[in-house]
Amino acid sequence: MTGEAKNRRVTAADVARSLGISRATVGFVLNNTRGQTISEATRKRVIAEAARLGYRPHTAAQALARGSSRIVLLVLPDWPVEHSLGRHIAEASRVLEEAGYSLVTYTLHETGVTRPLWEALDPDVVIGMLPFSEKDLASMRASGITTIVPDPQTEPAEWQKGPSVVAGPELQVSHLAGLGHSRIAFAAPDDSRLARIIDARLAVARDTAARMGLTGMDDRRINVHDASSRSAVLEWSRDGITGVVAYNDEIAAAIAGAALREGISVPGQLAVIGHDDTPLAELFVPSLSSIRLDIEGLGRQIAMTALNAADGRGGAAEDPPLVADLIRREST
Amino acid sequence: MTGEAKNRRVTAADVARSLGISRATVGFVLNNTRGQTISEATRKRVIAEAARLGYRPHTAAQALARGSSRIVLLVLPDWPVEHSLGRHIAEASRVLEEAGYSLVTYTLHETGVTRPLWEALDPDVVIGMLPFSEKDLASMRASGITTIVPDPQTEPAEWQKGPSVVAGPELQVSHLAGLGHSRIAFAAPDDSRLARIIDARLAVARDTAARMGLTGMDDRRINVHDASSRSAVLEWSRDGITGVVAYNDEIAAAIAGAALREGISVPGQLAVIGHDDTPLAELFVPSLSSIRLDIEGLGRQIAMTALNAADGRGGAAEDPPLVADLIRREST
DNA sequence: GCAACCAGTTCCCAAGGGGGT
DNA sequence: CACCCCCTTGGGAACTGGTTG
């Protein structure tokens, strides 16, 4: 038994040999190389033969030769991401793929004991939902990654004006104000990793409240595992606060639950609104009003931003009006 | 201005040139190549110079030359994964990294409009939490991926006996039975993607119930968006069922919520236990008893399995006793 | 340490056919 | 009618950065 099948992978050279043409030509056809014209007949033969042999380009070889991996790395924050971020990522994948890129997602863990994925993947673009830390930026640069979004060059305060930050708090506050609540409090998780985004949202909430003629807004950090929500509702009750804007549904549930346990009715004595529209909001009793973001739109936007950063395609990065919807339920 | 800095990445050749030695030697040192002895002095110089120049191996080039990407692709199911799967993945990353592999996670979307990531990444191993569909297997084979876990060769029924499937339902049923509930029902989501795992868990629950001398177990599919939980609790109440084992915390919350809205007390008239110990379980009022799996352990196990599949390392794939804990709260 | 290799990509050039002068 | 030029088509070979006999 000498002629053992090596079962090697099919290469472009195999396709070329089988057709009696050159590797280069195979490459030209399969890549639609601009500046090279190939007769329609040859083109057809190449495509057919490649399919027949089951040819798959070797991605590592491609990456080496062209000097780019065609990978976009989406870095997700370590903290509980907005629910249904999944769809949003699916949509981003779809758009990127049409442009020849692959989207890989990666959750950055605070502990940082593992080597970040950008070192192992050599992505063309690293894109995050929040500005990166100096440490991460240094690590990326050391790995030769030049395209980073959000761009560390620009003012890091920029993203704070993005609709994904702004739209929610605006809706939350104006909803409560519209219902007649004149004394409103803001509640967020007691998590330092979230500090920046909490501050940004709080600022928007304050701003909106001021525009609607409300007075100062109490601001609390809640730990869902201890008694902080209990003391918060007791003090609010004492101080005449009747509406609470929560950073997310989890905090909203903690507040509403603490109120119920203290005999404060929801929404009668205290109205609560969450953010993200997670299953928790729908299932809690009473069900929680919340904010639902247009995640498909967000996904498309991420993809466009990445394409733009990678090669200037993707059109003008026009911020499409990100739609956030108020989902009204029993808690307000 | 002729000597413009090209700002090219630092290659092993640069390190070699700068030291007046050959590229090969640099490779030997940096890879600790066995069967090649390098003097300690040279070794030190190479390492120092590589660090000084900021040398990073080009992963695509490595992958091409050695014929393997050192990437393990963990495919996550499309359905809501157990909460805090994150930790579990972090632990798996850590273990794999020590062995020189990178872990990339990937959520496989049902719609399947996007090209699966294994085609773009050429991972050495693809590992899933559930057996793969024939279609996915075919696509992997076409991409040249030979190492797949769970091994499609073996009986696909195998994983159903794994502790991650078995431990939860056992604890749930025995807990309720231990509290004196003699008529128990099982509630799961109405989601066809989950059918296999639901059936597996249900079988375990039935088995456990029988062993504890309980009679038949009603089995329901719940859609959290409609009235199915309402009709379920009404019928259970009528039929004298006093305990419910839920597939996850979300279903448990839907059941408990429906009961409350119908004036059925929890746990007084109906006890409910969830699974996964998500924030929902802690925050719901009344708080929900649940099952917490040892996710770090699960992560380590995944990593070991992958290493074993990749190169036979990782030790015997001894199933470490996966610990599942009962978290008792107000709902039981 | 030299040199062959991994599997593509791409620059540059050669051959050949067609049309214009 | 002969000649020349240009454009289309496709090939040769260097190159990407490491690994290994």
Side-chain angles (χ1 to χ4, degrees), chain A residues 253-261 280 283-286, chain B residues 253 256-257 260 266 280-288 330-331:
Chain A
I255 298 294
L260 295 181
R261 291 179 196 277
L280 175 55
L283 293 170
F284 199 81
V285 181
Chain B
L260 294 180
V266 177
L280 176 54
E282 184 178 7
L283 292 171
F284 199 81
V285 180
S287 60
L288 304 171
E330 298 165 347
S331 70

Side-chain angles (χ1 to χ4, degrees), chain B residues 12 23-24 31 55 62:
Chain B
R23 311 201 321 270
N31 293 341
Y55 167 69
Q62 288 183 305

Side-chain angles (χ1 to χ4, degrees), chain A:
Chain A
M1 303 298 178
T2 34
E4 181 147 47
K6 284 296 186 58
N7 207 9
R8 291 192 320 104
R9 70 180 297 146
V10 180
T11 74
D14 295 329
V15 177
R17 196 173 317 120
S18 157
L19 249 35
I21 63 177
S22 80
R23 311 204 314 276
T25 305
V26 174
F28 292 145
V29 170
L30 266 25
N31 293 340
N32 269 319
T33 308
R34 304 173 345 127
Q36 264 295 335
T37 79
I38 298 287
S39 74
E40 195 51 32
T42 306
R43 174 180 303 278
K44 287 223 159 92
R45 287 173 57 217
V46 168
I47 291 177
E49 190 65 4
R52 194 179 70 77
L53 296 179
Y55 167 70
R56 303 278 169 168
H58 191 296
T59 51
Q62 287 184 304
L64 176 59
R66 78 163 88 91
S68 111
S69 61
R70 294 278 159 98
I71 287 178
V72 173
L73 185 67
L74 174 61
V75 178
L76 302 176
D78 178 22
W79 35 271
V81 294
E82 345 257 328
H83 177 256
S84 67
L85 190 61
R87 287 230 171 135
H88 153 177
I89 289 167
E91 178 66 13
S93 286
R94 217 181 47 65
V95 174
L96 285 172
E97 187 172 305
E98 282 174 6
Y101 286 78
S102 298
L103 179 69
V104 175
T105 63
Y106 168 55
T107 303
L108 190 57
H109 292 95
E110 80 280 33
T111 57
V113 303
T114 65
R115 205 166 50 112
L117 210 44
W118 52 74
E119 294 187 6
L121 249 34
D122 269 354
D124 291 351
V125 182
V126 174
I127 180 167
M129 315 279 294
L130 296 181
F132 290 105
S133 71
E134 242 343 294
K135 178 166 142 288
D136 290 337
L137 286 173
S139 151
M140 288 179 205
R141 294 202 189 96
S143 307
I145 292 167
T146 56
T147 310
I148 300 174
V149 180
D151 186 345
Q153 304 286 1
T154 72
E155 201 52 41
E158 189 57 32
W159 69 273
Q160 297 185 359
K161 297 175 198 138
S164 69
V165 170
V166 166
E170 275 182 2
L171 275 176
Q172 290 174 305
V173 171
S174 57
H175 174 59
L176 288 181
L179 290 173
H181 296 275
S182 58
R183 306 222 40 207
I184 294 181
F186 185 88
D190 178 21
D191 185 333
S192 60
R193 296 169 295 171
L194 291 175
R196 286 182 305 181
I197 187 164
I198 289 175
D199 289 346
R201 288 215 200 142
L202 175 58
V204 174
R206 285 227 157 92
D207 213 55
T208 309
R211 277 209 313 278
M212 304 200 62
L214 303 192
T215 60
M217 179 180 285
D218 186 36
D219 157 31
R220 296 258 173 174
R221 293 303 123 87
I222 303 292
N223 178 339
V224 298
H225 301 295
D226 68 17
S228 50
S229 29
R230 181 164 173 270
S231 48
V233 296
L234 288 176
E235 291 178 41
W236 287 332
S237 164
R238 194 192 60 206
D239 297 347
I241 283 173
T242 60
V244 178
V245 168
Y247 171 82
N248 61 16
D249 291 337
E250 206 170 302
I251 295 298
I255 298 294
L260 295 181
R261 291 179 196 277
E262 295 301 326
I264 299 170
S265 69
V266 176
Q269 296 170 267
L270 193 67
V272 181
I273 181 166
H275 193 289
D276 298 351
D277 192 33
T278 61
L280 175 55
E282 184 178 7
L283 293 170
F284 199 81
V285 181
S287 59
L288 305 171
S289 297
S290 191
I291 301 295
R292 178 188 298 165
L293 296 180
D294 170 18
I295 41 193
E296 263 90 6
L298 231 180
R300 227 168 297 124
Q301 203 179 330
I302 284 191
M304 291 306 181
T305 308
L307 286 180
N308 239 337
D311 55 11
R313 282 186 294 176
E318 18 132 2
D319 258 22
L322 178 74
V323 202
D325 285 323
L326 172 78
I327 309 293
R328 185 173 184 189
R329 298 206 179 85
E330 297 165 350
S331 70
T332 60

